[in-house]
Amino acid sequence: MADSPVHLLVNAASRRGGKVGERVEAQLRELGRTPIVVEADSGAEVGPALLQHLSAMERLVVVGGDGIVHHTLAALARVEPNSPSPTPVLGIVSSGTGNDFARSLGLPRSIEAAVRTALEPPTPVDLLRLRWFDGTVRFAASVVTAGFSGRVNQTANDLPFPRGQQKYTVATLLEARRLQPFPLQFTVDGNKEHSSCTFFAVGNTRHFGGGMRICPKADPTDGLLDLTVVDEISRLALLRMLPTVFPGRHVRHRAVRTFTGSELVLELDETLWADGESLGPGPVTIDVARSALLVAGVALPD
């Protein structure tokens, strides 16, 4: 609707995010929308900042990557999809390193096209809901992971250079040198399994790691979660397998097992990561929050 306000959230921690945010704000004005900027200097401040605007917010355009989308979920997730309270629509203008959530939803990569798409009608998509034994509840948009993949994420975050996607390549090589499996017990819809695990990924959507199709059949509208478990594997075999994750052919490897279900219990001591953000250790129960997020312009790939 022309002339109606649109709330705008930019990843303030990103060097590129600020410049892209200025372009997005200008384009919104050109399209006849009035941007209302939400101020948040860190991921921890995103949720509280959004809650202050929530009663008047119809649509939130986020400029950034998977991390900033993750931090919006505490405010935007619809725990009760049939609630009479209005829920803001989320529009995403990707400017992060991975952008895996936007990629899986078929959102455009160019800034101009992404802004126009962010104003389109919404599609309800599922979220992953994580519950710890102490009562803590968190949501994840794309993938929850731990093990080698989580350590790569941490190492990449700690590297001062190179920047962008290259730092994940460097982090992968560094972590492969100190590869160490960990004990994992997991239960999918009541069926218990064990693994000496290299890493695993729980997918609401297909991608992680900047385009790796780790859960090739994941669909964020089917009410199910997809689990990919990579059992113990040698360093060389892992490095040979990783390129096959981009097209999703890794599922044919003998060390890879896949599962689908509605509830997953993970028993492990490893740090969990979701949407590129550290969540702390398990154990944790994960289920699907059906149609919990309204996202503009979704075009799910086949």
Side-chain angles (χ1 to χ4, degrees):
M1 181 184 299
D3 299 324
S4 63
V6 173
H7 287 76
L8 177 63
L9 175 66
V10 179
N11 183 358
S14 167
R15 291 184 178 183
R16 183 168 182 259
K19 294 180 180 179
V20 175
E22 293 174 1
R23 291 172 56 187
V24 171
E25 186 172 355
Q27 187 176 349
L28 287 171
R29 295 187 187 280
E30 290 173 2
L31 294 171
R33 310 302 288 265
T34 302
I36 300 173
V37 177
V38 180
E39 302 286 349
D41 293 329
S42 67
E45 295 181 12
V46 168
L50 292 180
L51 290 173
Q52 293 180 12
H53 292 265
L54 202 56
S55 61
M57 185 185 298
E58 296 182 0
R59 187 176 297 258
L60 174 68
V61 176
V62 169
V63 181
D66 296 320
I68 195 168
V69 170
H70 176 83
H71 288 293
T72 70
L73 302 181
L76 300 186
R78 300 189 303 170
V79 179
E80 299 178 7
N82 296 321
S83 170
S85 301
T87 302
V89 174
L90 176 65
I92 302 172
V93 179
S94 298
S95 70
T97 301
N99 305 316
D100 286 304
F101 186 55
R103 177 183 286 105
S104 290
L105 297 186
L107 302 181
R109 297 184 181 183
S110 78
I111 302 302
E112 290 75 15
V115 174
R116 291 192 297 270
T117 301
L119 300 179
E120 291 181 0
T123 296
V125 300
D126 302 336
L127 294 174
L128 298 176
R129 177 169 43 204
L130 296 88
R131 307 171 192 256
W132 282 263
F133 293 154
D134 65 0
T136 300
V137 177
R138 297 278 296 270
F139 293 93
S142 54
V143 170
V144 176
T145 190
F148 172 76
S149 51
R151 297 181 204 126
V152 167
N153 219 319
Q154 182 63 66
T155 298
N157 288 347
D158 293 340
L159 288 174
F161 59 89
R163 299 192 179 277
Q165 189 62 37
Q166 286 185 338
K167 70 178 180 179
Y168 289 99
T169 301
V170 174
T172 296
L173 295 175
L174 290 172
E175 286 301 323
R177 296 174 59 186
R178 43 184 180 252
L179 188 65
Q180 181 67 46
F182 65 95
L184 172 68
Q185 181 171 289
F186 58 100
T187 305
V188 183
D189 291 345
N191 299 310
K192 185 172 290 189
E193 301 280 348
H194 299 266
S195 173
S196 177
C197 186
T198 300
F199 72 91
F200 68 83
V202 187
N204 177 49
T205 56
R206 298 177 180 182
H207 300 94
F208 85 158
M212 289 184 167
R213 197 171 295 188
I214 187 64
C215 297
K217 296 183 178 180
D219 179 346
T221 64
D222 65 0
L224 298 171
L225 56 83
D226 285 52
L227 171 64
T228 298
V229 177
V230 180
D231 293 321
E232 186 170 353
I233 190 172
S234 71
R235 182 182 300 110
L236 180 58
L238 175 65
L239 291 174
R240 285 176 173 172
M241 184 189 74
L242 287 177
T244 70
V245 184
F246 286 95
R249 294 198 304 269
H250 62 291
V251 296
R252 306 172 188 170
H253 196 283
R254 62 186 180 186
V256 176
R257 292 183 283 163
T258 60
F259 305 83
T260 303
S262 57
E263 183 181 79
L264 169 67
V265 180
L266 295 170
E267 298 179 50
L268 74 167
D269 294 326
E270 290 281 311
T271 297
L272 293 159
W273 291 75
D275 309 326
E277 300 292 304
S278 176
L279 302 186
V284 69
T285 297
I286 305 177
D287 66 358
V288 179
R290 292 297 312 270
S291 302
L293 188 67
L294 297 177
V295 182
V298 171
L300 292 176
D302 294 332

